[in-house]
Amino acid sequence: MTALQTGWPYFSYRDSELHIEDVPVAQVAEATGTPVYVYSRAALEERFDSLAQAFAGVRHLVCYSVKANSNLAVLRTFARRGGGFDIVSAGELYRVERAGGDLTKVVYSGVGKSPEEVRAALRAGILLFNVESLGELEMLDQVAAREGRVASIALRINPDVDPQTHPYIATGLKKSKFGVPMAQAVDAYDRARHFRHLRVIGLDCHIGSQLVDLAPFCDALQRIRDLWDRLIRDGYELKLLDIGGGLGIRYRDETPPSFTEYAATVIRSLQPFSETIVLEPGRSLVGNAGVLLTRVRYLKDTGEKTFVIVDAAMNDLLRPSLYGSYQEILLVRATNHHEKTTVDVVGPVCESGDFIARDRELPRVRPGDLLAVMSAGAYGFAMASNYNTRPRAAEVLVNGSAFAVVRTRETYQDLVRGETIPSWLD
Ligand SMILES: *Cc1c(COP(=O)(O)O)cnc(C)c1O
C-alpha cells in the first residue's frame, strides 16, 4: 500500500483513497451520509501540543477560541491537554462546562456581553473578563456587587494596526467596533481601578484573524508592551497579558509563520517579561484538522460555465460566500487521468452566492463522487445555518482507525422545534 501525503498532516492517500489518520473517509460518508464534517483527533492534539511546546519557555496559558469550532468533543480534546478557553457568549460557557473544561481557565471577550451572561460567568468563577467599553465596566461592577463577588478584568485595547487581512476579520483598526481605543486606554484603566467589585489584573488585545505575516503582531505587541509598562509605572498589578489569537493557516499557498516563529516573535517583542501570556488561538488549532465531505449530485454545462452541483452548500460552509475565501477540494478517490476542467462547485441553496469554489481546476468528476473540502475545521460547522430549511451536517471525530459521530445530522423535527401556529390561525 502506498501512502501519498496531501500537504495536510494526518490526511493521506492510500491506494488512491483519501484517509484521515487510518480511516478511509469514504467509510465515514457511508456511515453518516453527506455532507459531513470530519475532524482528526491526532491533528487537533498535534496543533495544541506544538503551540504549547513553542511557548514552553515562558509562563503561558492557551485558551482555545471556542467560536472557531465549538463541538463538545473538540473542546474536550483540548481540555484533556490542560487547555483553557476563550469564550464570547454564555452559550460558549455552557459548552465548555458540558465538555468538562476547567472554568477557572476561561477568558471572556466580546463587545456586547449581557448582565445575565456576565452573571453566569461570575458564578462559574472564570479567570478573566476582557472588557471592551466603559459601559461594560459599569455593568460588570454592578452585577458583581449584586453577586457579592469581585470580577477579574483586563481591558481589551485596540492598538490600531492594520492586520492586512479580510476586512470582515480585521478587528484591530481604529474604525473597528472592538476594544477601547489606544488613545483612551490610560483613562479607561483609571476608571476601572475605582470600581469596588472589579480587580484589574490584565491587558488584552486581538487584532484580527487569518494573519499570515508577523509584522502586524509585532506592531501591536510593541504598542501593547509600552502601555503595559506605563500601567505598571502607574501602580497597576498586572498579571495577565492576553495577546489574542489570529494566526493564519495555509488554505492554498499562504505561508503563515509556524508556532515556533510566532512564539519567538512574541517572546522577543515582550522581553523581559515574567507574567503570564494568554493565547487565544482558534483557526490555527482546528482549521487544518477538519474537512467537509460532500457528494456530487449533478453536472450542468450551460455553455458559459460548468457547474458541479454538490450536496453541501453555503449554509454548511459559509466562508467562500462570505469572504470569497479559497478552500482546496480533493477527490476522495484519486483518479489517474490528469485532464482537468474548470468548474464552479456549487450547492443546492437558492442564492447565486452559494458556492464552495469558483473557476476551479478539478479533475473530471461524476455524479456520486465524493469530494473533500479541505481546511474546513475552523469557522465551518460553527457558522452553519438552517437556511433553506436544510438540516445541519453531522460531525465526526476520527481517532486512529476508529471514528465516532460527535454530532448527529439534524432532523426536520429539530428544525421546527419551538415553532407554534397560534390558535387564531386555525
Ligand atoms: C475570534 C477570536 C479569536 C480567535 O481568532 P483566530 O483567528 O481563530 O485565532 C481570539 N480572540 C478573540 C477575542 C476572538 O474574537
Side-chain angles (χ1 to χ4, degrees):
M1 189 157 76
T2 51
L4 214 111
Q5 294 315 310
T6 60
W8 284 262
Y10 305 101
F11 299 76
S12 62
Y13 284 101
R14 300 181 191 173
D15 290 341
S16 303
E17 279 285 329
L18 185 64
H19 284 59
I20 300 182
E21 301 184 36
D22 298 326
V23 172
V25 298
Q27 199 180 310
V28 176
E30 214 48 61
T32 64
T34 50
V36 56
Y37 277 93
V38 192
Y39 314 121
S40 156
R41 177 187 179 184
L44 294 170
E45 294 184 341
E46 184 280 327
R47 295 277 71 201
F48 186 93
D49 292 349
S50 69
L51 180 62
Q53 182 58 38
F55 280 91
V58 295
R59 211 183 299 189
H60 74 278
L61 177 64
V62 177
C63 291
Y64 166 64
S65 181
V66 172
K67 75 176 190 286
N69 183 329
S70 50
N71 185 282
L72 295 181
V74 172
L75 301 183
R76 169 85 80 164
T77 302
F78 295 136
R80 284 170 54 103
R81 309 287 267 200
F85 297 93
D86 166 44
I87 61 168
V88 293
S89 71
E92 290 187 348
L93 178 66
Y94 176 75
R95 283 187 172 278
V96 172
E97 224 169 334
R98 287 289 301 264
D102 183 346
L103 301 178
T104 67
K105 292 183 185 168
V106 168
V107 301
Y108 185 1
S109 311
V111 292
K113 305 176 187 80
S114 75
E116 295 72 29
E117 289 183 304
V118 158
R119 187 176 61 212
L122 277 168
R123 289 183 179 174
I126 68 164
L127 176 66
L128 184 68
F129 290 86
N130 285 329
V131 175
E132 305 215 15
S133 65
L134 296 177
E136 188 189 331
L137 272 183
E138 271 172 42
M139 180 274 286
L140 182 51
D141 182 68
Q142 280 166 16
V143 176
R146 271 206 302 278
E147 292 290 307
R149 291 172 193 262
V150 172
S152 293
I153 69 148
L155 286 176
R156 176 169 174 182
I157 301 301
N158 181 340
D160 189 27
V161 297
D162 185 353
Q164 290 164 351
T165 186
H166 191 283
Y168 289 6
I169 50 181
T171 58
L173 282 165
K174 233 188 232 165
K175 64 183 180 192
S176 120
K177 72 174 176 181
F178 296 100
V180 174
M182 189 53 115
Q184 300 170 16
V186 170
D187 284 349
Y189 269 91
D190 286 343
R191 291 283 297 281
R193 81 192 319 180
H194 290 110
F195 287 104
R196 288 184 36 229
H197 299 275
L198 306 183
R199 182 166 49 232
V200 182
I201 63 160
L203 172 56
D204 169 51
C205 74
H206 168 72
I207 57 172
S209 199
Q210 184 54 14
L211 309 192
V212 292
D213 192 357
L214 287 170
F217 286 114
C218 282
D219 287 356
L221 284 169
Q222 234 143 53
R223 292 174 198 204
I224 289 294
R225 171 76 217 209
D226 289 347
L227 176 60
W228 174 281
D229 290 342
R230 159 86 197 259
L231 294 170
I232 296 291
R233 282 200 302 278
D234 289 351
Y236 291 90
E237 289 176 15
L238 302 181
K239 300 287 168 216
L240 301 175
L241 178 57
D242 185 336
I243 63 169
L247 193 62
I249 62 170
R250 189 174 72 85
Y251 284 98
R252 185 181 192 174
D253 49 13
E254 304 90 336
T255 50
S258 67
F259 284 149
T260 313
E261 291 165 326
Y262 172 67
T265 297
V266 169
I267 293 165
R268 186 167 3 90
S269 305
L270 296 178
Q271 75 181 4
F273 194 77
S274 54
E275 301 301 344
T276 300
I277 300 172
V278 177
L279 308 163
E280 299 175 348
R283 189 189 314 269
S284 58
L285 292 189
V286 295
N288 275 329
V291 300
L292 173 62
L293 290 185
T294 182
R295 208 178 275 283
V296 176
R297 283 192 178 152
Y298 307 104
L299 301 181
K300 184 194 287 201
D301 191 341
T302 64
E304 191 76 13
K305 271 191 180 258
T306 303
F307 292 100
V308 174
I309 303 170
V310 299
D311 62 8
M314 65 188 289
N315 74 294
D316 300 299
L317 181 64
L318 186 59
R319 296 187 67 260
S321 300
L322 183 62
Y323 310 127
S325 58
Y326 184 99
Q327 307 264 167
E328 193 64 71
I329 297 176
L330 298 180
L331 270 62
V332 166
R333 167 159 274 284
T335 62
N336 288 326
H337 48 97
H338 296 286
E339 180 203 359
K340 295 200 168 175
T341 56
T342 302
V343 299
D344 278 17
V345 179
V346 301
V349 159
C350 300
E351 296 280 345
S352 294
D354 174 30
F355 60 91
I356 306 286
R358 272 188 166 158
D359 298 322
R360 181 69 57 89
E361 291 227 308
L362 281 186
R364 269 186 203 291
V365 297
R366 283 183 310 224
D369 283 354
L370 272 176
L371 305 179
V373 183
M374 306 304 288
S375 309
Y379 307 105
F381 187 91
M383 293 176 104
S385 78
N386 295 122
Y387 188 41
N388 280 207
T389 305
R390 287 169 51 85
R392 283 182 298 172
E395 292 176 286
V396 164
L397 184 60
V398 167
N399 179 32
S401 56
F403 66 88
V405 177
V406 293
R407 192 181 212 274
T408 57
R409 187 178 308 286
E410 283 177 329
T411 65
Y412 295 135
Q413 287 86 338
D414 291 334
L415 299 195
V416 296
R417 197 174 63 197
E419 293 181 37
T420 49
I421 299 170
S423 60
W424 38 264
L425 285 178
D426 277 354

